[in-house]
Amino acid sequence: MSLKKFTAAGAALALSLGLAACGSDDPAAEGDAAPTPISVYYTSPLAGYSIIQVADDQDLFPDDIDVSVEGGDSTVGVTLASSGRVQMYLNTAPMTENIAHGGAALAWAATWTEGMNTLFIGRNGVESLEDMKGRSLGIVQPGLTLSVIANDALIDAGLSQDDYKSVSLGTVPALAGAFAAGTVDGVVLDRITAQRLLSEVDGSVELFDYYDGTPFVGSGVSVNTDWLEENPEAATSFLEGLQAALDFMSENPEEAKKSISAMTGITDAAALDAAYQDFMDHSTDTLMPVSEEQMNASMRMLRNEGNDWATDEFGASVVIDPSYVEQALER
């Protein structure tokens, strides 16, 4: 199903759920089971989430599920996922843990990265994390992933949150724009955007590479656990489709670039090559369960922000049974 048809798909899904609730008089409908509908939300049009675009473009999801996809703001995504209005959510921690603490039934199902593919960059004379003292940190909004991991790096560098000013800018494009304009001194951004700014902004420097510098989990898929309890086979089929997309991206670079372009809006050939290579360099060959150790790293970051509830025990509670990933890989 095309990503561009999500609105119609959502309406069809709502209608189908309503019909299911009312029952059906169609004898054919009582034969073969209809595909299980799965709605997916992703947080931003980054190359890392092109895995869902590839799976959709190449019709890689098994026939027993009917997948529809929508992208947008992370705060909208967690609301939809935690309420069960979408079943799968492509995002980055610790947003999932934060929402789960508030009672939402969310847990990490799988990841395709071994780290957080983001960079902390600085300008206006900032040449180290320590130099951020007395400076301005651009964030999307407090509590979101980029803010949490920026604060964590600065705390590890010996600063407190009173040592710098956080400036909320609302969106990732606004964050990048403020850095380019010089109105903030430091930001954390996805690697492709950060590297573009480093090449365009005089005096800008890389301060910290999260991929190599922290065990914090990178891009992955969360699942609504209330739905999971009722639909374990459908969840496994969904993960199987993601694994097929990983395989396809590795084996078909030109087709994968078309999907990355559709996801991100990148049309320049060199930029597309860079986005594809970045994905390949920072993704794994197979889906991986998210480990308790990775989640505990997320808990530590949230504790650094003053969230006393962020204990290691809670970190373990938002990691689902790895057998779902293992079953998907065995098919």
Side-chain angles (χ1 to χ4, degrees):
M1 181 179 297
S2 171
L3 299 180
K4 296 178 182 178
K5 297 179 181 177
F6 179 84
T7 302
L13 172 58
L15 178 61
S16 68
L17 291 176
L19 292 174
C22 298
S24 173
D25 295 326
D26 182 359
E30 298 176 3
D32 295 337
T36 301
I38 300 179
S39 295
V40 185
Y41 197 94
Y42 64 90
T43 58
S44 55
L46 303 178
Y49 294 143
S50 295
I51 184 173
I52 192 71
Q53 180 86 49
V54 169
D56 189 71
D57 288 346
Q58 304 301 324
D59 195 24
L60 298 176
F61 288 113
D63 292 338
D64 64 330
I65 57 176
D66 183 12
V67 179
S68 57
V69 187
E70 180 181 19
D73 184 78
S74 58
T75 55
V76 174
V78 292
T79 299
L80 293 174
S82 60
S83 67
R85 290 167 61 191
V86 302
Q87 292 77 50
M88 298 288 181
Y89 178 40
L90 274 66
N91 68 316
T92 54
M95 176 62 79
T96 301
E97 297 93 305
N98 239 327
I99 296 301
H101 179 67
L106 290 176
W108 275 76
T111 182
W112 53 88
T113 72
E114 294 180 317
M116 191 74 179
N117 195 18
T118 49
L119 299 178
F120 199 136
I121 58 177
R123 63 168 304 177
N124 299 333
V126 173
E127 297 183 354
S128 68
L129 291 175
E130 292 81 0
D131 289 342
M132 283 294 296
K133 186 170 184 177
R135 301 298 192 117
S136 58
L137 170 70
I139 61 173
V140 175
Q141 69 182 62
L144 297 190
T145 300
L146 294 181
S147 172
V148 172
I149 67 174
N151 289 333
D152 186 73
L154 292 171
I155 288 168
D156 281 352
L159 279 64
S160 73
Q161 292 188 43
D162 294 329
D163 287 332
Y164 53 93
K165 178 183 179 181
S166 293
V167 181
S168 297
L169 295 161
T171 66
V172 171
L175 189 62
F179 184 85
T183 55
V184 295
D185 303 310
V187 295
V188 175
L189 289 165
D190 67 277
R191 186 179 302 273
I192 290 292
T193 303
Q195 288 179 334
R196 175 177 61 80
L197 289 169
L198 289 171
S199 68
E200 296 174 353
V201 177
D202 290 341
S204 59
V205 297
E206 178 184 318
L207 304 178
F208 186 71
D209 186 336
Y210 287 87
Y211 191 81
D212 297 321
T214 174
F216 183 56
V217 71
S219 298
V221 56
S222 301
V223 60
N224 181 286
T225 51
D226 288 340
W227 176 87
L228 178 66
E229 290 180 5
E230 301 294 327
N231 300 276
E233 287 296 321
T236 301
S237 290
F238 179 81
L239 295 177
E240 181 185 353
L242 291 187
Q243 179 59 52
L246 272 177
D247 294 339
F248 184 91
M249 293 181 80
S250 175
E251 297 165 2
N252 303 275
E254 296 308 314
E255 290 299 314
K257 289 174 192 176
K258 293 178 183 177
S259 294
I260 291 174
S261 180
M263 168 68 76
T264 64
I266 298 172
T267 56
D268 177 77
L272 266 179
D273 288 345
Y276 172 78
Q277 194 58 51
D278 181 69
F279 179 89
M280 297 308 299
D281 289 344
H282 298 96
S283 66
T284 56
D285 292 335
T286 62
L287 291 177
M288 300 185 299
V290 177
S291 70
E292 185 175 337
E293 290 74 19
Q294 288 173 309
M295 297 308 293
N296 287 343
S298 299
M299 294 300 106
R300 180 181 64 82
M301 290 189 176
L302 289 167
R303 287 197 296 272
N304 277 347
E305 287 217 328
N307 296 290
D308 294 336
W309 57 265
T311 64
D312 289 352
E313 289 76 16
F314 181 73
S317 75
V318 292
V319 178
I320 72 163
D321 186 342
S323 65
Y324 289 98
V325 178
E326 294 163 2
Q327 290 168 20
L329 296 179
E330 288 172 357
R331 290 189 177 189

